[in-house]
């Protein structure tokens, strides 16, 4: 029997041409990792450099928005928000006979204002004495030990120095040598002293009752210390203590030596 290879060759050629045509018409296989095919976006690296997280771990834009809002700077309060607002007025009922009203300035020293309000509402200042009072300068208080060395249990405050001048009646925070050592002690100016500006945190001023500040006993320390009978935030509407509580001991006069008849008859020298 004779076999002819010609038909088989033609058949194989036909199958080859068909397979080639199918290969040309089929689309290319998809890339299994399309994201890695694109170059990474440029990033500004802080110093020191940090490891950049993979793109898949980066938060979406909608997730980042709340964090941005949370770190936004709180706008400064305007005068119409705090002037004559009882929440930012302090009442000092003094043993010198009456109430001193202080306007606080949260626009320049918000942390100091909040500290005084917090301590006042806790009753910390009630009964505390004025331990250092210099005539023509200032009256200092806020130390439970009345020595100038004490304070509250709260952490010290970071300085909030500002351009508020130290005028008569200005309320300012006392501190130690460190600028960030203010805690609970404060002073009220009896006369202007501009050398204190931008060195001590001024955060309020007396608006009524300055005559009771002027009457505070003078001395370093005074022989008889005047005191704050009650300190309150005006918004809390605490009534003044009775008049009988707004008094202080008066030092007894020095005894006068008795003059005898022999002294009267003594010769004049």
């Amino acid at each position: 029997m004779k076999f002819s290879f010609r038909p088989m060759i033609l058949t194989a050629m036909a199958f080859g041409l068909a397979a080639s045509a199918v290969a040309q018409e089929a689309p290319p296989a998809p890339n299994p990792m399309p994201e890695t095919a694109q170059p990474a976006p440029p990033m500004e690296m802080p110093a020191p450099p940090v490891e950049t997280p993979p793109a898949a771990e980066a938060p979406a834009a909608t997730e980042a928005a709340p964090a941005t809002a949370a770190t936004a700077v709180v706008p400064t309060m305007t005068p119409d928000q705090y002037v004559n607002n009882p929440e930012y007025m302090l009442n000092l009922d003094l043993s010198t006979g009456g109430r001193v009203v202080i306007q606080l300035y949260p626009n320049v020293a918000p942390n100091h204002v909040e500290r005084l309000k917090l301590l006042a509402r806790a009753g910390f200042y009630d009964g505390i004495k004025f331990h250092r009072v210099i005539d023509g300068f200032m009256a200092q208080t806020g130390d439970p030990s009345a020595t100038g060395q004490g304070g509250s249990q709260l952490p010290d405050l970071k300085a909030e120095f500002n351009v508020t001048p130290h005028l008569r009646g200005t309320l300012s925070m006392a501190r130690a040598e460190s600028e960030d050592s203010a805690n609970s002690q404060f002073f009220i100016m009896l006369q202007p002293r501009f050398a204190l500006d931008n060195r001590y945190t001024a955060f309020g001023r007396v608006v009524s009752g300055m005559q009771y500040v002027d009457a505070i006993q003078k001395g370093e320390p005074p022989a008889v210390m005047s005191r704050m009978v009650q300190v309150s935030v005006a918004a809390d509407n605490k009534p003044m203590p009775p008049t009988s509580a707004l008094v202080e001991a008066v030092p007894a006069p020095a005894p006068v030596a008795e003059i005898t008849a022999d002294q009267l008859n003594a010769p004049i020298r």
Side-chain angles (χ1 to χ4, degrees), residues 82 88 90 102-117 125 157 160 162 164-166 170-174 182 184-187 200-205:
Y82 64 86
Y88 298 102
L90 204 65
I102 295 176
Q103 171 69 65
L104 299 173
Y105 297 156
N107 61 320
V108 296
N111 294 324
H112 285 67
V113 167
E114 288 305 313
R115 170 61 60 86
L116 233 69
K117 289 168 56 182
Y125 288 121
L157 292 165
E160 293 179 299
N162 55 76
T164 304
H166 283 74
T170 294
L171 176 72
S172 192
M173 208 69 169
S184 66
Q185 295 189 41
F186 61 87
F187 57 93
Y200 292 82
T201 300
F203 62 109
R205 192 175 183 190

Side-chain angles (χ1 to χ4, degrees), residues 29-259:
N31 189 336
M33 299 180 65
E35 295 179 0
T36 59
Q38 301 297 326
M43 296 183 63
E44 183 179 353
M45 302 296 290
V50 297
E51 182 179 356
T52 306
E57 297 179 5
T62 55
E63 296 175 350
T68 303
T71 56
V73 177
V74 178
T76 302
M77 294 186 70
T78 56
D80 61 297
Q81 292 175 300
Y82 64 86
V83 172
N84 295 324
N85 181 344
E87 184 60 30
Y88 298 102
M89 308 284 287
L90 204 65
N91 294 331
L92 275 62
D93 299 319
L94 304 187
S95 62
T96 53
R99 171 166 286 185
V100 178
V101 180
I102 295 176
Q103 171 69 65
L104 299 173
Y105 297 156
N107 61 320
V108 296
N111 294 324
H112 285 67
V113 167
E114 288 305 313
R115 170 61 60 86
L116 233 69
K117 289 168 56 182
L118 176 65
L119 291 177
R121 282 176 162 147
F124 175 84
Y125 288 121
D126 296 352
I128 288 185
K129 301 173 180 178
F130 287 86
H131 64 273
R132 183 169 180 254
V133 185
I134 303 175
D135 195 15
F137 182 22
M138 59 88 212
Q140 184 173 338
T141 185
D143 173 14
S145 70
T147 64
Q149 304 297 317
S152 74
Q153 297 299 316
L154 299 176
D156 292 344
L157 292 165
K158 185 173 180 59
E160 293 179 299
F161 299 156
N162 55 76
V163 297
T164 304
H166 283 74
L167 303 170
R168 172 172 161 80
T170 294
L171 176 72
S172 192
M173 208 69 169
R175 62 174 176 83
E177 185 176 355
S178 169
E179 293 183 347
D180 300 329
S181 58
N183 187 282
S184 66
Q185 295 189 41
F186 61 87
F187 57 93
I188 302 173
M189 300 300 297
L190 301 177
Q191 293 296 333
R193 190 66 62 93
F194 301 127
L196 304 182
D197 295 356
N198 293 304
R199 296 176 55 205
Y200 292 82
T201 300
F203 62 109
R205 192 175 183 190
V206 174
V207 293
S208 68
M210 190 64 192
Q211 68 272 26
Y212 304 117
V213 178
D214 291 332
I216 294 172
Q217 300 283 344
K218 311 299 189 294
E220 300 181 72
V224 174
M225 295 185 186
S226 302
R227 68 190 188 282
M228 298 183 290
V229 178
Q230 176 180 272
V231 178
S232 61
V233 178
D236 296 343
N237 294 316
K238 282 193 174 183
M240 284 182 61
T243 305
S244 59
L246 302 180
V247 296
E248 56 193 29
V250 178
V256 178
E258 183 180 358
I259 300 176

